[in-house]
Amino acid sequence: RILEEMFRRFDIPYRVVGGFSFYERTEIKDVISYLTAALNPHDSVHLLRVINTPARGIGKTTRDAIMDLAAERESSLWDALGFAIDEGALPLRSLRALGEFRAIMLDFVTSAEESSSVEMIQRVVDKTRYIEVLQEEGTEEALTRIDNIRELLNAAEESAGRAESLRNFLDNAALLSDQDDYDEGAPVSLMTLHTAKGLEFQVVFIIGMEDGLFPHNRSLNDRSSLEEERRLFYVGMTRAKQSLNVIRSKSNREFIEVF
């Protein structure tokens, strides 16, 4: 995420190989959609993305009914949601789920203008149980998604340090997620060490070489996992034909206490 932002700032073309750009990842887009809808609940695209994320019993049939009602009344999805609840236009179970979602979103809408981006992200993951659902899933992918949300908090903290509002933060995120200038021949390639297997480059940078990142903290207490991290590091080192640069950070922001 940090590298992408810096490359954008200094107009350095880059490409993400074998994966998604940070702001294109599902969990990041979900949180961004919550924040965007908090500032403008009539943004039907973002509201529709999160109406059942995480799953809260609002299935496709219910979503279609709300969209049909919005089309019939020539209103936004947000207004149609209110119509359906106030008029009891759907089965009780659907109305209960829609009511819970509307209450959550009303809380976000009320808080958005006065809260920082950090406070709003914390509020979103708390009220929606987004992190709890991923923790309950317990897979390696779910844990990685949690790490990505923590990194989004880091980005929000940096934005707050520049005295930017939530709206500024979202505008910047939208800019960074724009893939219109994707360049297949870009001079910089961003990839994981797994993706780099079998490839060679004149110059290689391996970043994040501090305990807890590489080797990852989930590997430190398991000998076989630690050995796999060593083998992976060897793969990364041997990708360089001319110059190898191994980099660690002097400090890192952590938001573990939030979750």
Side-chain angles (χ1 to χ4, degrees):
R1 191 271 307 176
I2 294 173
L3 290 174
E4 288 191 67
E5 291 185 4
M6 290 301 102
F7 289 148
R8 290 274 185 162
R9 184 174 300 177
F10 292 99
D11 294 323
I12 299 173
Y14 69 92
R15 60 180 181 142
V16 179
V17 180
F20 293 103
S21 176
F22 179 78
Y23 286 95
E24 287 297 306
R25 297 174 188 271
T26 297
E27 59 278 8
I28 302 305
K29 292 176 77 171
D30 288 344
V31 175
I32 292 296
S33 286
Y34 269 114
L35 299 178
T36 303
L39 283 177
N40 178 18
H42 297 287
D43 185 325
S44 296
V45 172
H46 285 95
L47 193 70
L48 184 61
R49 179 181 179 91
V50 298
I51 196 171
N52 195 46
T53 304
R56 53 175 59 91
I58 304 175
K60 184 178 185 302
T61 301
T62 302
R63 296 196 298 271
D64 288 346
I66 296 297
M67 287 189 285
D68 289 344
L69 184 59
E72 178 187 323
R73 302 286 180 90
E74 297 184 346
S75 71
S76 67
L77 194 68
W78 177 248
D79 284 341
L81 192 63
F83 296 149
I85 294 170
D86 294 341
E87 299 169 12
L90 293 169
L92 184 59
R93 183 177 179 181
S94 297
L95 290 174
R96 186 180 298 114
L98 290 172
E100 290 174 359
F101 172 68
R102 190 166 184 258
I104 290 173
M105 286 307 307
L106 281 171
D107 178 81
F108 295 162
V109 170
T110 302
S111 306
E113 291 295 343
E114 301 299 326
S115 300
S116 69
S117 50
V118 174
E119 291 168 337
M120 281 303 300
I121 292 173
Q122 292 173 340
R123 199 175 196 89
V124 165
V125 298
D126 178 46
K127 294 285 186 179
T128 65
R129 297 184 63 252
Y130 201 108
I131 297 298
E132 291 178 48
V133 171
L134 290 174
Q135 288 173 333
E136 290 168 4
E137 183 180 325
T139 64
E140 191 67 29
E141 180 183 354
L143 295 175
T144 298
R145 293 176 70 184
I146 293 173
D147 287 342
N148 288 337
I149 296 174
R150 287 196 175 106
E151 183 56 32
L152 185 64
L153 272 168
N154 286 336
E157 179 69 19
E158 292 167 11
S159 175
R162 297 190 293 268
E164 294 176 350
S165 66
L166 174 59
R167 198 174 298 277
N168 296 145
F169 175 71
L170 292 174
D171 287 344
N172 186 53
L175 186 64
L176 287 163
S177 65
D178 182 6
Q179 296 296 299
D180 290 344
D181 57 354
Y182 178 83
D183 184 0
E184 186 68 34
V188 177
S189 297
L190 299 178
M191 67 186 70
T192 65
L193 287 164
H194 287 97
T195 305
K197 288 180 179 178
L199 303 176
E200 287 186 325
F201 305 91
Q202 292 297 321
V203 179
V204 168
F205 291 84
I206 304 178
I207 66 170
M209 289 298 300
E210 53 259 25
D211 284 348
L213 283 180
F214 195 28
H216 197 276
N217 55 23
R218 291 195 288 270
S219 302
L220 295 179
N221 296 321
D222 182 83
R223 181 177 293 275
S224 62
S225 296
L226 196 56
E227 286 302 320
E228 177 59 27
E229 295 275 276
R230 288 196 177 101
R231 286 191 290 270
L232 202 54
F233 181 43
Y234 178 79
V235 167
M237 292 174 64
T238 54
R239 298 310 90 199
K241 298 171 69 175
Q242 178 179 320
S243 173
L244 171 66
N245 304 269
V246 181
I247 299 173
R248 67 175 176 86
S249 299
K250 289 183 177 179
S251 62
N252 283 295
R253 285 195 180 93
E254 292 285 352
F255 286 87
I256 295 175
E257 70 278 1
V258 175
F259 307 137

